[in-house]
Amino acid sequence: MFRNQYDTDVTTWSPAGRLFQVEYAMEAVKQGSAAIGLRSKTHVVLACVNKANSELSSHQKKIFKVDNHIGVAIAGLTADGRVLSRYMRSECINYNYTYESPLPVGRLVVQLADKAQVCTQRSWKRPYGVGLLVAGLDESGAHLYYNCPSGNYFEYQAFAIGSRSQAAKTYLERRFDNFIGSSREDLIKDALIATRESLQGEKLRSSVCTIAVVGVGEPFHILDQETVQQLIDTFEIVKEEEPPAEEAQPTTEQEAPTEQASGADQGAAAGDQGGSPMEI
């Protein structure tokens, strides 16, 4: 991106009908660490990559609990995400105090989108530089929403945001049809695999990812590192057992030319046993 005369103010339109400040805020989401969400009929799983600024510092928290039935994962400017999660928590408390019932997920998402949209219409404000994956459960079932800095919101079956999230999206698109009927354990496993895809070569460990779950009879909570590491170990064992079976076939094909060129006596012996190895 380059600086031009139309990006100094969020209320200034370019001749092409674009608001560059809003687009810059959306670009900030792409620069943040990856966040992933999946949902089935009964559960929603959030996952994020823990990225520290240096080896001497701890990572910033990327998943926040809003209420017992709602949680969010963020990508982008963590400070903005922390402020918005606090706003969402306040709205849930006020609604519960007034109506003595949990705030519906869809209504909270609309309120959050309206708050973000106001920042695109005021010259003395800037858009929030953070994207939020909102996971929740209410009377209508499990929900997964994505709130954009532009004020738009979308409901997804599965989605990934942040840096290097395209690899995770590709995996989620391949597995999309299976998510509706997936169990809690299958959703967590798919979330871990999608997180591994976004790491692009880096080894998946419990220290570099965070997993949170909400579902029927299960309030929103973040899984501890020991549980996540056990799940990762189980997945890695299955993954390591697959390659040897695939490598066995090329070995047989490589031995075949050697046996064929060993001489006429060995060829006759192979014929007595029912044919040469090349026929297999």
Side-chain angles (χ1 to χ4, degrees):
M1 291 187 179
F2 58 91
R3 187 172 180 82
N4 59 60
Q5 58 182 328
Y6 300 105
D7 67 352
T8 57
D9 193 349
V10 72
T11 60
T12 302
W13 291 93
S14 73
R18 300 165 63 182
L19 291 173
F20 287 104
Q21 287 291 327
V22 176
E23 294 184 10
Y24 295 164
M26 296 169 67
E27 186 66 24
V29 177
K30 297 179 182 179
Q31 299 299 326
S33 57
I36 300 165
L38 307 87
R39 75 176 175 95
S40 65
K41 291 181 179 179
T42 57
H43 289 81
V44 187
V45 175
L46 295 177
C48 71
V49 176
N50 301 330
K51 185 170 65 175
N53 293 330
S54 69
E55 295 181 357
L56 301 177
S57 66
S58 63
H59 65 271
Q60 291 181 312
K61 189 177 181 180
K62 295 290 185 179
I63 296 181
F64 300 92
K65 178 180 179 180
V66 176
D67 202 348
N68 287 332
H69 67 298
I70 298 178
V72 296
I74 66 172
L77 194 59
T78 308
D80 285 0
R82 189 173 60 248
V83 170
L84 290 177
S85 65
R86 190 181 302 124
Y87 164 78
M88 297 170 68
R89 194 175 297 120
S90 176
E91 290 297 314
C92 287
I93 292 173
N94 293 336
Y95 187 92
N96 194 18
Y97 178 80
T98 304
Y99 300 102
E100 297 183 356
S101 63
L103 176 61
V105 183
R107 182 175 299 185
L108 178 61
V109 169
V110 171
Q111 293 177 356
L112 182 63
D114 291 342
K115 185 177 179 64
Q117 192 276 336
V118 169
C119 295
T120 67
Q121 263 187 309
R122 302 289 186 268
S123 60
W124 61 90
K125 293 184 177 182
R126 67 162 177 81
Y128 291 104
V130 64
L132 295 94
L133 290 177
V134 183
L137 184 75
D138 55 22
E139 295 179 352
S140 59
H143 300 281
L144 176 67
Y145 290 92
Y146 168 57
N147 277 76
C148 183
S150 63
N152 289 325
Y153 63 93
F154 309 92
E155 184 169 14
Y156 287 93
Q157 188 69 43
F159 197 56
I161 58 176
S163 62
R164 298 185 293 186
S165 62
Q166 186 56 49
K169 288 180 184 177
T170 303
Y171 172 79
L172 295 175
E173 288 170 358
R174 292 201 308 263
R175 297 276 299 168
F176 171 76
D177 294 334
N178 300 327
F179 292 151
I180 291 290
S182 293
S183 63
R184 175 184 180 274
E185 289 72 19
D186 291 338
L187 279 183
I188 295 176
K189 182 178 178 180
D190 286 326
L192 287 171
I193 298 175
T195 303
R196 189 197 62 178
E197 295 294 325
S198 67
L199 294 176
Q200 294 186 351
E202 184 180 351
K203 185 176 180 180
L204 179 64
R205 303 185 305 273
S206 61
S207 59
V208 300
C209 68
T210 303
I211 304 292
V213 184
V214 62
V216 176
E218 184 176 10
F220 184 88
H221 67 286
I222 299 175
L223 300 182
D224 57 80
Q225 285 195 356
E226 294 181 359
T227 303
V228 174
Q229 188 59 51
Q230 291 176 359
L231 294 169
I232 292 174
D233 292 339
T234 303
F235 164 71
E236 291 292 337
I237 291 173
V238 173
K239 196 67 177 177
E240 291 174 0
E241 288 177 353
E242 294 176 358
E246 298 177 357
E247 294 176 356
Q249 294 180 358
T251 303
T252 304
E253 294 176 358
Q254 292 176 0
E255 292 175 354
T258 305
E259 294 181 3
Q260 186 178 8
S262 61
D265 295 339
Q266 294 181 1
D272 295 337
Q273 294 177 1
S276 66
M278 294 296 292
E279 297 176 357
I280 297 176

PDB file of all heavy atoms in Angstrom, residues 60-72:
ATOM      1  N   GLN A  60       0.735 -12.531  23.836  1.00  0.00           N
ATOM      2  CA  GLN A  60      -0.454 -11.796  24.230  1.00  0.00           C
ATOM      3  C   GLN A  60      -1.685 -12.690  24.138  1.00  0.00           C
ATOM      4  O   GLN A  60      -1.778 -13.546  23.258  1.00  0.00           O
ATOM      5  CB  GLN A  60      -0.637 -10.564  23.340  1.00  0.00           C
ATOM      6  CG  GLN A  60       0.412  -9.489  23.566  1.00  0.00           C
ATOM      7  CD  GLN A  60       0.188  -8.283  22.677  1.00  0.00           C
ATOM      8  OE1 GLN A  60      -0.018  -8.414  21.479  1.00  0.00           O
ATOM      9  NE2 GLN A  60       0.207  -7.101  23.259  1.00  0.00           N
ATOM     10  N   LYS A  61      -2.612 -12.471  25.031  1.00  0.00           N
ATOM     11  CA  LYS A  61      -3.833 -13.270  25.060  1.00  0.00           C
ATOM     12  C   LYS A  61      -4.703 -12.925  23.858  1.00  0.00           C
ATOM     13  O   LYS A  61      -4.953 -11.746  23.576  1.00  0.00           O
ATOM     14  CB  LYS A  61      -4.586 -12.996  26.366  1.00  0.00           C
ATOM     15  CG  LYS A  61      -5.767 -13.927  26.605  1.00  0.00           C
ATOM     16  CD  LYS A  61      -6.407 -13.645  27.958  1.00  0.00           C
ATOM     17  CE  LYS A  61      -7.583 -14.584  28.217  1.00  0.00           C
ATOM     18  NZ  LYS A  61      -8.223 -14.319  29.519  1.00  0.00           N
ATOM     19  N   LYS A  62      -5.173 -13.953  23.150  1.00  0.00           N
ATOM     20  CA  LYS A  62      -5.950 -13.753  21.927  1.00  0.00           C
ATOM     21  C   LYS A  62      -7.385 -14.269  22.027  1.00  0.00           C
ATOM     22  O   LYS A  62      -8.190 -14.010  21.139  1.00  0.00           O
ATOM     23  CB  LYS A  62      -5.251 -14.460  20.759  1.00  0.00           C
ATOM     24  CG  LYS A  62      -3.893 -13.894  20.409  1.00  0.00           C
ATOM     25  CD  LYS A  62      -4.006 -12.527  19.775  1.00  0.00           C
ATOM     26  CE  LYS A  62      -2.663 -12.020  19.316  1.00  0.00           C
ATOM     27  NZ  LYS A  62      -2.760 -10.688  18.678  1.00  0.00           N
ATOM     28  N   ILE A  63      -7.696 -15.023  23.075  1.00  0.00           N
ATOM     29  CA  ILE A  63      -9.059 -15.542  23.262  1.00  0.00           C
ATOM     30  C   ILE A  63      -9.588 -15.019  24.588  1.00  0.00           C
ATOM     31  O   ILE A  63      -8.913 -15.127  25.610  1.00  0.00           O
ATOM     32  CB  ILE A  63      -9.084 -17.082  23.229  1.00  0.00           C
ATOM     33  CG1 ILE A  63      -8.661 -17.598  21.852  1.00  0.00           C
ATOM     34  CG2 ILE A  63     -10.469 -17.609  23.575  1.00  0.00           C
ATOM     35  CD1 ILE A  63      -8.691 -19.102  21.721  1.00  0.00           C
ATOM     36  N   PHE A  64     -10.803 -14.445  24.562  1.00  0.00           N
ATOM     37  CA  PHE A  64     -11.386 -13.838  25.751  1.00  0.00           C
ATOM     38  C   PHE A  64     -12.767 -14.441  26.012  1.00  0.00           C
ATOM     39  O   PHE A  64     -13.533 -14.678  25.075  1.00  0.00           O
ATOM     40  CB  PHE A  64     -11.531 -12.316  25.579  1.00  0.00           C
ATOM     41  CG  PHE A  64     -10.239 -11.607  25.328  1.00  0.00           C
ATOM     42  CD1 PHE A  64      -9.802 -11.374  24.030  1.00  0.00           C
ATOM     43  CD2 PHE A  64      -9.448 -11.164  26.379  1.00  0.00           C
ATOM     44  CE1 PHE A  64      -8.609 -10.722  23.792  1.00  0.00           C
ATOM     45  CE2 PHE A  64      -8.255 -10.512  26.152  1.00  0.00           C
ATOM     46  CZ  PHE A  64      -7.842 -10.285  24.857  1.00  0.00           C
ATOM     47  N   LYS A  65     -13.043 -14.663  27.273  1.00  0.00           N
ATOM     48  CA  LYS A  65     -14.377 -15.096  27.673  1.00  0.00           C
ATOM     49  C   LYS A  65     -15.258 -13.876  27.874  1.00  0.00           C
ATOM     50  O   LYS A  65     -14.903 -12.952  28.607  1.00  0.00           O
ATOM     51  CB  LYS A  65     -14.310 -15.914  28.968  1.00  0.00           C
ATOM     52  CG  LYS A  65     -15.670 -16.366  29.466  1.00  0.00           C
ATOM     53  CD  LYS A  65     -15.550 -17.178  30.746  1.00  0.00           C
ATOM     54  CE  LYS A  65     -16.927 -17.603  31.252  1.00  0.00           C
ATOM     55  NZ  LYS A  65     -16.833 -18.405  32.495  1.00  0.00           N
ATOM     56  N   VAL A  66     -16.419 -13.861  27.213  1.00  0.00           N
ATOM     57  CA  VAL A  66     -17.366 -12.755  27.345  1.00  0.00           C
ATOM     58  C   VAL A  66     -18.441 -13.103  28.364  1.00  0.00           C
ATOM     59  O   VAL A  66     -18.763 -12.307  29.241  1.00  0.00           O
ATOM     60  CB  VAL A  66     -17.998 -12.423  25.974  1.00  0.00           C
ATOM     61  CG1 VAL A  66     -19.058 -11.333  26.115  1.00  0.00           C
ATOM     62  CG2 VAL A  66     -16.915 -11.977  24.986  1.00  0.00           C
ATOM     63  N   ASP A  67     -19.015 -14.288  28.242  1.00  0.00           N
ATOM     64  CA  ASP A  67     -20.025 -14.783  29.173  1.00  0.00           C
ATOM     65  C   ASP A  67     -19.916 -16.300  29.174  1.00  0.00           C
ATOM     66  O   ASP A  67     -19.100 -16.877  28.457  1.00  0.00           O
ATOM     67  CB  ASP A  67     -21.421 -14.316  28.736  1.00  0.00           C
ATOM     68  CG  ASP A  67     -22.426 -14.329  29.884  1.00  0.00           C
ATOM     69  OD1 ASP A  67     -22.093 -14.905  30.942  1.00  0.00           O
ATOM     70  OD2 ASP A  67     -23.534 -13.776  29.738  1.00  0.00           O
ATOM     71  N   ASN A  68     -20.743 -16.950  29.969  1.00  0.00           N
ATOM     72  CA  ASN A  68     -20.700 -18.413  30.016  1.00  0.00           C
ATOM     73  C   ASN A  68     -21.047 -19.052  28.680  1.00  0.00           C
ATOM     74  O   ASN A  68     -20.681 -20.206  28.426  1.00  0.00           O
ATOM     75  CB  ASN A  68     -21.650 -18.930  31.093  1.00  0.00           C
ATOM     76  CG  ASN A  68     -21.127 -18.685  32.496  1.00  0.00           C
ATOM     77  OD1 ASN A  68     -19.916 -18.611  32.718  1.00  0.00           O
ATOM     78  ND2 ASN A  68     -22.035 -18.539  33.450  1.00  0.00           N
ATOM     79  N   HIS A  69     -21.750 -18.310  27.829  1.00  0.00           N
ATOM     80  CA  HIS A  69     -22.177 -18.878  26.554  1.00  0.00           C
ATOM     81  C   HIS A  69     -21.539 -18.191  25.348  1.00  0.00           C
ATOM     82  O   HIS A  69     -21.862 -18.521  24.206  1.00  0.00           O
ATOM     83  CB  HIS A  69     -23.707 -18.803  26.424  1.00  0.00           C
ATOM     84  CG  HIS A  69     -24.246 -17.403  26.323  1.00  0.00           C
ATOM     85  ND1 HIS A  69     -24.085 -16.472  27.313  1.00  0.00           N
ATOM     86  CD2 HIS A  69     -24.930 -16.782  25.330  1.00  0.00           C
ATOM     87  CE1 HIS A  69     -24.658 -15.338  26.956  1.00  0.00           C
ATOM     88  NE2 HIS A  69     -25.167 -15.504  25.746  1.00  0.00           N
ATOM     89  N   ILE A  70     -20.631 -17.251  25.570  1.00  0.00           N
ATOM     90  CA  ILE A  70     -20.012 -16.502  24.466  1.00  0.00           C
ATOM     91  C   ILE A  70     -18.527 -16.304  24.747  1.00  0.00           C
ATOM     92  O   ILE A  70     -18.125 -16.039  25.884  1.00  0.00           O
ATOM     93  CB  ILE A  70     -20.683 -15.124  24.267  1.00  0.00           C
ATOM     94  CG1 ILE A  70     -22.156 -15.280  23.899  1.00  0.00           C
ATOM     95  CG2 ILE A  70     -19.972 -14.321  23.171  1.00  0.00           C
ATOM     96  CD1 ILE A  70     -22.892 -13.957  23.740  1.00  0.00           C
ATOM     97  N   GLY A  71     -17.716 -16.408  23.692  1.00  0.00           N
ATOM     98  CA  GLY A  71     -16.297 -16.099  23.766  1.00  0.00           C
ATOM     99  C   GLY A  71     -15.835 -15.569  22.422  1.00  0.00           C
ATOM    100  O   GLY A  71     -16.508 -15.747  21.392  1.00  0.00           O
ATOM    101  N   VAL A  72     -14.686 -14.906  22.397  1.00  0.00           N
ATOM    102  CA  VAL A  72     -14.178 -14.320  21.158  1.00  0.00           C
ATOM    103  C   VAL A  72     -12.705 -14.666  20.988  1.00  0.00           C
ATOM    104  O   VAL A  72     -11.958 -14.817  21.957  1.00  0.00           O
ATOM    105  CB  VAL A  72     -14.349 -12.786  21.128  1.00  0.00           C
ATOM    106  CG1 VAL A  72     -15.816 -12.406  21.134  1.00  0.00           C
ATOM    107  CG2 VAL A  72     -13.616 -12.128  22.284  1.00  0.00           C
TER     108      VAL A  72
END
